[in-house]
């Protein structure tokens, strides 16, 4: 269901994003510049607002700038396809943005004395990075790993909804969202490792050994 929702949402957003992408390309803006600008916007929303307890503003700013993930991809496609460095930069900036979001949430909850919430945010931070790492490592070894119920879009959506509800007075919503996200992230890691294991049994030994 998450995959269906994500594909449908992206199809709808593309009709809005494409004119903006064309305009930026005509103005000489590169996809890489949009990637960096989007990450800086997420940092402002997460660290400048969310970490200080302005949860509604922080969630809205983070969501708005997170949408540049779709914009820079559209620009890259229109300009002839993503370069190797562009793909590397996009993935790296995603990790920076995710770290800022969950670090800001953990900091805010720590100031509120919510130790369980802080623990959940740290689990989300670690598990989210592992979700991405498992996929990248598998693809680096020549296998596919496009599976899982909690990819980046779903993870940001869950924490964003929790932050918005908490900002409107439902304080328990954010910890609940974080524990839910922690559970589905860990489950996604398991899904991806099982998927890679099935492929690896049919392939020769990978170079580099274990480590």
């Amino acid at each position: 269901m998450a995959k269906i929702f994500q594909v449908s949402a992206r199809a709808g957003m593309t009709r809005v994003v494409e004119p903006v992408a064309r305009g930026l390309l005509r103005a000489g803006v590169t996809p890489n510049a949009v990637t960096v600008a989007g990450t800086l916007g997420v940092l402002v929303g997460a660290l400048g607002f969310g970490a200080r307890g302005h949860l509604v503003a922080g969630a809205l700013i983070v969501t708005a700038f997170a949408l540049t993930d779709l914009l820079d991809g559209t620009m890259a496609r229109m300009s002839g396809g993503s370069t190797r460095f562009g793909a590397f930069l996009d993935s790296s900036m995603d990790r920076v943005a995710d770290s800022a979001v969950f670090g800001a949430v953990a900091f805010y909850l720590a100031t509120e004395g919510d130790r369980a919430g802080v623990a959940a945010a740290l689990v989300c931070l670690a598990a989210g990075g592992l979700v991405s790492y498992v996929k990248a490592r598998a693809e680096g070894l020549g296998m596919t790993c496009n599976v899982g119920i909690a990819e980046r879009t779903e993870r940001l959506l869950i924490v964003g909804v929790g932050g918005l509800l908490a900002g409107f007075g439902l304080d328990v919503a954010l910890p609940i969202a974080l524990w839910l996200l922690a559970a589905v992230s860990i489950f996604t890691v398991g899904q991806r490792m099982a998927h890679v294991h099935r492929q690896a049994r049919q392939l020769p030994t990978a170079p580099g050994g274990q480590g």
Side-chain angles (χ1 to χ4, degrees), residues 33-53:
V34 172
T35 298
V36 174
T39 302
L40 292 176
V42 170
L43 292 177
V44 170
L47 303 178
F49 289 87
R52 297 167 60 193

Side-chain angles (χ1 to χ4, degrees), residues 106 108-120 171-172 174-175 178-179:
Y108 164 71
L109 291 173
T111 65
E112 295 293 305
D114 187 346
R115 293 185 178 182
V118 172
D171 293 339
V172 72
L174 184 54
L178 289 170
W179 281 116

